[in-house]
Amino acid sequence: MKARSRFEMNHLWKIIFPLSLLLYLSGNVKSQVNPSVCRSPLGMSGRQILDEDISASSQWSESTAAKYGRLDSEEGDGAWCPESTIEPENMNEFLQIDLRSLHFITLVGTQGRHAGGIGNEFAQTYKIKYSRDGSRWISWRNRQGKEVIEGNRNAYDIVLKDLEPPIIARFVRFMPVIDHSMNVCMRVELYGCEWLDGLVSYNAPLGQEMILHDQEVYLNDSVYDGAILYSMTEGLGQLTDGMCGLDDFTLSHVYNVWPGYDYVGWTNESFPNGYVEIMFEFDRTRNFTTMKVHCNNMFSQRVKVFQKVVCYFRSDLDWEPTPVSFSPVMDDVNPSARFVTVSLQNHMASAIKCQYYFSDMWMMFSEITFQSDTAMYNTTLAPRKTGAPPNTQPGDNPVHKVDDSNTRILIGCLVAIIFILVAIIVIILWRQVWQKVLEKVSRRMLDDELTASLSIQSEAFSCNNNLTSSAPSEQESSSTYERIFPLGADYQEPSRLVRKLPDVSQVSEDTASKSPQSSTQEGVPHYAEADIVNLQGVTGGNTYAVPAVTMDLLSGKDIPIEEFPRKLLTFKEKLGEGQFGEVHLCEAEDMEEFMDKDFSFDVSENQTVLVAVKMLRADANKNARNDFLKEIKIMSRLKDPNIIRLLGVCMSSDPLCMITEYMENGDLNQFLSRHEPEGMIALLSNAPTVSYSNLQHMATQIASGMKYLSSLNFVHRDLATRNCLVGKNYTIKIADFGMSRNLYSGDYYRIQGRAVLPIRWMSWESILLGKFTTASDVWAFGVTLWETLTFCKEQPYSQLSDEQVIENTGEFFRDQRRQIYLPQPAMCPDPIYKLMLSCWHRNAKERPSFQEIHRVLLENTP
Ligand SMILES: *[C@@H]1O[C@H](CO)[C@@H](O)[C@H](O)[C@H]1NC(C)=O
Ligand SMILES: *[C@@H]1O[C@H](CO)[C@@H](O)[C@H](O)[C@H]1NC(C)=O
Ligand SMILES: *[C@@H]1O[C@H](CO)[C@@H](O)[C@H](O)[C@H]1NC(C)=O
Ligand SMILES: *[C@@H]1O[C@H](CO)[C@@H](O)[C@H](O)[C@H]1NC(C)=O
């Protein structure tokens, strides 16, 4: 069976499915819930659930309120996010849905916050609580007793989970569970159908234990959700989980459980009256037509259908004096489990009490259903659309519940069908063997689910069972669903492209607190950068990030720049150092010979020029080498008067190096720190000065260089005065030294051994969401402009600690006017400060482009 090809399986499936449908329609299946059909979305994505019925323990902001927690919806800020960071000791955040009436819920779907690429919060695990009356809340557990459900692994995929056992409830709460601090957002959907039985609880004596051939058979109600003391009260459980037991009560479809799992059973030894009384309570007064009891009848083990049942009805407060009683025909021939239908003769009631009389030593029930009014369950498969769960995937089987009135006919049919099936299977196997011999083609089994489906499917004919989860583990069934939702064009797995980025969830975390996950999750992308490939510079700095598309252009092997003879370089000083290399300031001779015609140095003939030489250590690993080559390819494409040029490379031998321009006045930060504004102080201290018009000239050049970068869709990610070099006559060229220079280590914020980030220059969305775009470069430009106009005398937000800067970022996100902006520098004219403020607009789209910035700076030239 394992080696069965998909083709053959599909073939078999095509034959089985119509047959099963035939059988399925012949049974009276509309009268009880069918978990494999009851899987329609209940209206989070489809909006049948109203905003007012969705609530939450808290919200991070108006735009992440509970009503935005709808699966597949991108409204507001894209999801529900609770206010506080969810910590292990604080797991009480929840998103609550009121379905307005009782529903049978078989499946849940969750999704994180993607928000068109800027969101990256999701719940890796969560729990579910539910309530039928809004006051008693019950924690959902799976059949193995586990409460925690595996949730999402990224912000965009929908993950569906079967609820085994299903939930019968009006209110459902999703409670994110995290084992380390992180921000969580959720979008959810519930799948199921209305609970037409209307049953709210049953009270019954505890199920008992049977010793059968020295084997213990536990006939307790293993999924009962009420109180269990001397009896079971106020709950629902196995008798309403939509799952019928097998003919042999010691067996079960459920994986890894004890014998007797599917049944609740009692022995006459403990019931001197000769009956077991079960009381059923309903949501309202109903007009009852029938009750169906699924009983075991394995008479060889002294288990039999009840001999007689007597039911009493209560409509208002009083029990009606006249009960209904019914005695099924005893069957000592056929040992199969069956539904026994009891007519309730249109009694009106909100509670029913039934006494089931023993006909042998044991009585075992696996389901009890009630039919009232004229309501019928839908049996048509829900239409398959996005957001709707698959109903016909292999592993789901229509329920085959056999009415005992039709039993004989059906048994005949069954036997015939089983014969046909066996014949078909034999033929198919035979053909397959021959095909294999002939073709010698090894067709690998594609999925195990198909095999599983076959075995369940064939068993489904011999018993009334509809269990879907005989797949060995939850994991497998969920992967099926993940496959069923193809990523849309907008969701091209950004995570594949992004590595080495810091985990955004760690940003807000106290850096001192150790997170057990952070070390194991190294390399797991949390940052949602939809279209950016990050290149980690060899010196530990990040180089320009480039759009993913241009990476194709870079994939060629050729180095598009000339080899430079190493011997012409003379070491002067070390500019910086990183994990994989160093940056040296060198003098180079005869540089002109190596340059394009369109490039001219601002030095006279035969003079040496200053160059920065970035070197890759000989022992650097392969990744670092590849990144180095990419960096060279990117740098070689940048040709602008305000961007540092790549002059040459040394690739013929180790250490690999790239040679870029350097400017005689060093970087802008140091340059301005050495200078003073024109005025009294400068006069008195005799310090060198820079006029305002020269400051503005420099800022305009930075804007111009950035305009060029942005026109190529290059994102700098670390624009700051420390990364701008100053030449003669206040010429400016933008470079990127990354964070390798000790001089500026204070400008970067280290996140738990991960990358360091220039948080004081970063936009809120870069810090919180890991989103780096031209608009975030614009933000950084605003800060750079501020630095320039304050002569770099202090760090931006110098009065705030790093943690406070990150808090301030949260205020920018919330936008409740509590965020702190950098103040207007003394010499900054109003229009320029206005320009600065516009760079820090919350909405990235409303920030000016570099073209506009460049234009405004030119227009305001003094
Ligand atoms: C059955 O389907 C119809 C239409 O699809 C829907 O209006 C109705 O609520 C469904 N009933 C149940 C019990 O799910
Ligand atoms: C039912 O019996 C099994 C086997 O002893 C036990 O593990 C389980 O906890 C019981 N369940 C309940 C709800 O009592
Ligand atoms: C209950 O339903 C049946 C069939 O629809 C109807 O004949 C009868 O009148 C109803 N009983 C009450 C009390 O409404
Ligand atoms: C239980 O049922 C068996 C078989 O019908 C019978 O022999 C036995 O006496 C019954 N025990 C009690 C206590 O009623």
Side-chain angles (χ1 to χ4, degrees):
M1 286 306 250
K2 274 270 168 197
R4 184 158 289 263
S5 72
R6 175 163 227 144
F7 167 77
E8 295 295 348
M9 293 307 299
N10 283 345
H11 196 58
L12 187 58
W13 174 254
K14 273 184 209 142
I15 296 163
I16 292 170
F17 191 70
L19 286 176
S20 65
L21 207 62
L22 181 99
L23 199 95
Y24 164 48
L25 294 176
S26 67
N28 194 359
V29 290
K30 288 191 169 199
S31 55
Q32 60 263 334
V33 70
N34 176 346
S36 63
V37 172
C38 171
R39 292 163 80 82
S40 314
L42 295 182
M44 287 296 277
S45 45
R47 307 199 157 265
Q48 293 88 343
I49 297 171
L50 304 177
D51 283 352
E52 68 211 53
D53 292 332
I54 310 170
S55 55
S57 52
S58 70
Q59 63 194 40
W60 162 263
S61 67
E62 271 308 313
S63 55
T64 58
K67 64 179 174 187
Y68 299 115
R70 295 174 184 274
L71 197 84
D72 241 1
S73 152
E74 293 272 344
E75 285 184 12
D77 267 313
W80 162 70
C81 312
E83 183 182 22
S84 56
T85 307
I86 294 173
E87 320 239 356
E89 62 276 13
N90 172 24
M91 293 207 307
N92 298 319
E93 301 290 349
F94 60 80
L95 176 64
Q96 176 176 322
I97 299 159
D98 177 359
L99 295 166
R100 293 286 173 149
S101 62
L102 291 177
H103 279 73
F104 192 88
I105 301 156
T106 52
L107 191 66
V108 290
T110 58
Q111 204 178 5
R113 191 180 86 88
H114 187 243
I118 63 166
N120 192 33
E121 299 83 17
F122 52 90
Q124 293 178 324
T125 50
Y126 61 97
K127 292 185 185 180
I128 286 181
K129 280 198 177 184
Y130 61 94
S131 175
R132 289 187 274 273
D133 56 7
S135 64
R136 191 169 75 92
W137 288 90
I138 303 157
S139 298
W140 180 84
R141 292 167 189 276
N142 74 3
R143 293 192 186 276
Q144 279 73 37
K146 207 176 130 210
E147 280 183 46
V148 175
I149 303 173
E150 294 292 324
N152 299 86
R153 296 202 197 121
N154 59 45
Y156 42 88
D157 280 331
I158 295 171
V159 173
L160 296 178
K161 290 288 171 181
D162 272 299
L163 292 180
E164 273 292 344
I167 287 173
I168 296 168
R170 171 176 162 181
F171 304 90
V172 177
R173 284 179 180 172
F174 287 83
M175 310 182 71
V177 176
I178 315 297
D179 54 9
H180 66 285
S181 298
M182 78 179 265
N183 292 320
V184 162
C185 300
M186 286 185 99
R187 286 179 282 170
V188 303
E189 179 64 285
L190 298 168
Y191 302 86
C193 57
E194 214 180 335
W195 174 233
L196 298 178
D197 286 39
L199 191 58
V200 174
S201 72
Y202 59 80
N203 298 350
L206 292 184
Q208 295 173 319
E209 222 172 277
M210 178 193 224
I211 311 287
L212 184 69
H213 315 308
D214 292 337
Q215 182 190 25
E216 274 171 300
V217 180
Y218 297 97
L219 297 162
N220 61 1
D221 191 334
S222 48
V223 298
Y224 193 72
D225 64 12
I228 304 175
L229 203 55
Y230 303 108
S231 67
M232 300 187 279
T233 51
E234 305 271 301
L236 295 175
Q238 274 191 294
L239 297 183
T240 53
D241 67 355
M243 200 180 103
C244 299
L246 300 180
D247 291 350
D248 182 346
F249 58 84
T250 61
L251 305 180
S252 172
H253 271 310
V254 181
Y255 178 71
N256 198 11
V257 287
W258 53 86
Y261 181 85
D262 291 342
Y263 286 94
V264 185
W266 304 271
T267 165
N268 68 350
E269 305 287 338
S270 323
F271 296 87
N273 295 337
Y275 63 80
V276 170
E277 184 175 278
I278 305 182
M279 164 122 123
F280 305 91
E281 310 236 22
F282 297 84
D283 54 350
R284 58 179 166 84
T285 304
R286 291 170 172 261
N287 181 343
F288 285 96
T289 51
T290 47
M291 166 175 72
K292 294 174 148 205
V293 187
H294 190 260
C295 309
N296 192 277
N297 197 41
M298 207 171 169
F299 48 79
S300 59
Q301 306 300 344
R302 320 218 62 181
V303 184
K304 254 195 201 167
V305 171
F306 54 88
Q307 171 203 88
K308 180 174 85 168
V309 61
V310 179
C311 292
Y312 297 84
F313 300 87
R314 190 189 70 193
S315 50
D316 298 319
L317 286 175
D318 302 323
W319 290 99
E320 273 180 35
T322 48
V324 162
S325 88
F326 173 76
S327 302
V329 183
M330 283 296 109
D331 182 352
D332 291 339
V333 181
N334 176 6
S336 47
R338 79 269 321 270
F339 266 109
V340 175
T341 304
V342 179
S343 168
L344 298 179
Q345 300 169 7
N346 288 113
H347 277 266
M348 299 293 294
S350 62
I352 301 180
K353 181 169 70 181
C354 292
Q355 294 161 350
Y356 302 88
Y357 285 81
F358 288 93
S359 56
D360 207 325
M361 244 167 96
W362 285 89
M363 194 158 62
M364 296 182 192
F365 300 158
S366 74
E367 279 294 290
I368 301 183
T369 71
F370 288 89
Q371 292 71 47
S372 57
D373 309 327
T374 49
M376 285 292 176
Y377 285 100
N378 287 334
T379 50
T380 45
L381 304 176
R384 198 132 157 216
K385 56 183 180 199
T386 333
N391 282 301
T392 51
Q393 55 127 346
D396 273 356
N397 312 288
V399 181
H400 312 281
K401 291 194 170 173
V402 185
D403 210 36
D404 69 332
S405 51
N406 296 329
T407 309
R408 272 155 225 277
I409 304 165
L410 282 170
I411 287 169
C413 288
L414 278 173
V415 171
I417 288 167
I418 287 167
F419 267 111
I420 295 169
L421 276 178
V422 168
I424 290 167
I425 289 168
V426 167
I427 290 168
I428 287 172
L429 282 174
W430 184 80
R431 271 186 42 186
Q432 197 195 7
V433 166
W434 269 107
Q435 234 164 12
K436 275 198 170 165
V437 171
L438 293 174
E439 293 179 17
K440 295 264 186 210
V441 177
S442 77
R443 286 180 178 161
R444 282 281 155 263
M445 177 66 203
L446 288 175
D447 356 35
D448 282 345
E449 293 105 308
L450 287 172
T451 316
S453 97
L454 179 74
S455 57
I456 298 167
Q457 194 61 32
S458 39
E459 271 167 308
F461 286 91
S462 53
C463 71
N464 312 314
N465 201 290
N466 60 325
L467 183 66
T468 56
S469 75
S470 56
S473 76
E474 264 183 281
Q475 286 295 323
E476 280 178 31
S477 63
S478 74
S479 64
T480 315
Y481 293 127
E482 281 161 26
R483 248 178 283 145
I484 282 165
F485 290 91
L487 292 174
D490 295 336
Y491 298 94
Q492 289 297 340
E493 283 250 41
S495 52
R496 294 249 173 86
L497 300 173
V498 189
R499 292 291 181 272
K500 293 179 186 169
L501 279 164
D503 183 344
V504 66
S505 63
Q506 308 292 328
V507 173
S508 57
E509 197 182 288
D510 177 8
T511 40
S513 78
K514 269 267 175 278
S515 131
Q517 291 256 314
S518 61
S519 55
T520 58
Q521 293 205 333
E522 203 67 57
V524 176
H526 280 273
Y527 251 75
E529 256 186 309
D531 49 0
I532 300 290
V533 175
N534 177 51
L535 291 178
Q536 185 105 12
V538 284
T539 53
N542 50 343
T543 56
Y544 306 111
V546 297
V549 276
T550 56
M551 290 308 288
D552 291 343
L553 304 173
L554 303 173
S555 58
K557 281 268 177 272
D558 306 332
I559 300 291
I561 196 105
E562 276 199 66
E563 181 78 13
F564 188 82
R566 213 180 285 267
K567 59 176 191 290
L568 298 181
L569 296 170
T570 317
F571 176 79
K572 284 202 68 172
E573 70 181 85
K574 190 154 97 180
L575 287 174
E577 188 175 9
Q579 197 184 352
F580 297 115
E582 294 183 354
V583 184
H584 291 176
L585 179 62
C586 296
E587 280 176 347
E589 292 171 46
D590 301 333
M591 200 70 215
E592 298 81 19
E593 288 173 28
F594 293 91
M595 292 314 304
D596 304 353
K597 300 282 167 288
D598 63 341
F599 183 78
S600 67
F601 279 103
D602 55 353
V603 288
S604 41
E605 290 277 320
N606 295 329
Q607 253 186 300
T608 56
V609 290
L610 282 176
V611 293
V613 180
K614 209 174 204 181
M615 282 182 292
L616 184 72
R617 263 198 258 284
D619 59 350
N621 63 26
K622 210 177 156 196
N623 285 344
R625 273 171 188 271
N626 280 338
D627 287 351
F628 194 76
L629 292 182
K630 282 185 197 151
E631 195 178 344
I632 288 173
K633 288 174 183 170
I634 292 166
M635 288 287 291
S636 65
R637 295 180 63 214
L638 301 179
K639 294 184 175 166
D640 183 83
N642 297 115
I643 303 284
I644 283 289
R645 261 310 172 92
L646 179 63
L647 302 175
V649 291
C650 313
M651 303 298 287
S652 53
S653 63
D654 276 331
L656 306 184
C657 59
M658 64 175 105
I659 301 158
T660 63
E661 294 178 81
Y662 196 75
M663 313 277 278
E664 59 193 47
N665 285 321
D667 73 60
L668 180 59
N669 190 292
Q670 285 173 296
F671 178 79
L672 287 177
S673 304
R674 291 194 300 263
H675 289 74
E676 292 289 341
E678 289 173 328
M680 275 319 273
I681 300 172
L683 272 177
L684 292 175
S685 66
N686 208 14
T689 60
V690 181
S691 68
Y692 174 75
S693 64
N694 282 331
L695 288 183
Q696 180 150 7
H697 175 53
M698 292 192 285
T700 310
Q701 292 175 73
I702 301 173
S704 175
M706 290 308 294
K707 189 171 92 176
Y708 170 77
L709 276 189
S710 68
S711 72
L712 298 175
N713 284 328
F714 277 46
V715 178
H716 187 290
R717 297 163 55 116
D718 193 10
L719 181 60
T721 52
R722 64 183 170 275
N723 278 326
C724 297
L725 295 180
V726 185
K728 278 204 178 67
N729 297 326
Y730 304 107
T731 52
I732 293 281
K733 296 195 183 203
I734 300 167
D736 187 352
F737 294 98
M739 47 222 70
S740 53
R741 292 182 294 174
N742 288 337
L743 188 57
Y744 297 111
S745 61
D747 289 346
Y748 296 93
Y749 178 68
R750 181 166 291 279
I751 299 159
Q752 291 213 341
R754 288 154 181 271
V756 285
L757 294 175
I759 53 171
R760 289 162 200 271
W761 283 259
M762 281 165 73
S763 67
W764 69 266
E765 77 271 11
S766 304
I767 294 178
L768 291 184
L769 311 169
K771 173 114 172 140
F772 290 90
T773 58
T774 294
S776 60
D777 276 354
V778 166
W779 181 296
F781 177 84
V783 182
T784 307
L785 183 57
W786 181 90
E787 282 187 284
T788 308
L789 296 181
T790 54
F791 278 79
C792 302
K793 295 290 183 256
E794 57 181 69
Q795 245 195 346
Y797 309 104
S798 55
Q799 75 282 14
L800 301 185
S801 68
D802 284 346
E803 285 69 26
Q804 284 169 327
V805 168
I806 289 166
E807 267 170 41
N808 192 36
T809 301
E811 296 298 346
F812 269 105
F813 171 72
R814 273 180 282 234
D815 205 17
Q816 291 163 346
R817 296 176 187 277
R818 291 206 294 260
Q819 63 270 43
I820 300 168
Y821 290 89
L822 290 169
Q824 182 166 2
M827 63 190 316
C828 177
D830 288 343
I832 301 300
Y833 188 56
K834 226 177 113 196
L835 176 69
M836 242 181 243
L837 289 176
S838 69
C839 294
W840 304 322
H841 207 287
R842 180 190 190 268
N843 185 348
K845 291 202 180 83
E846 289 181 37
R847 293 176 205 152
S849 66
F850 280 112
Q851 276 94 326
E852 282 170 64
I853 294 172
H854 187 236
R855 187 176 49 76
V856 171
L857 286 172
L858 280 180
E859 279 170 6
N860 283 281
T861 305

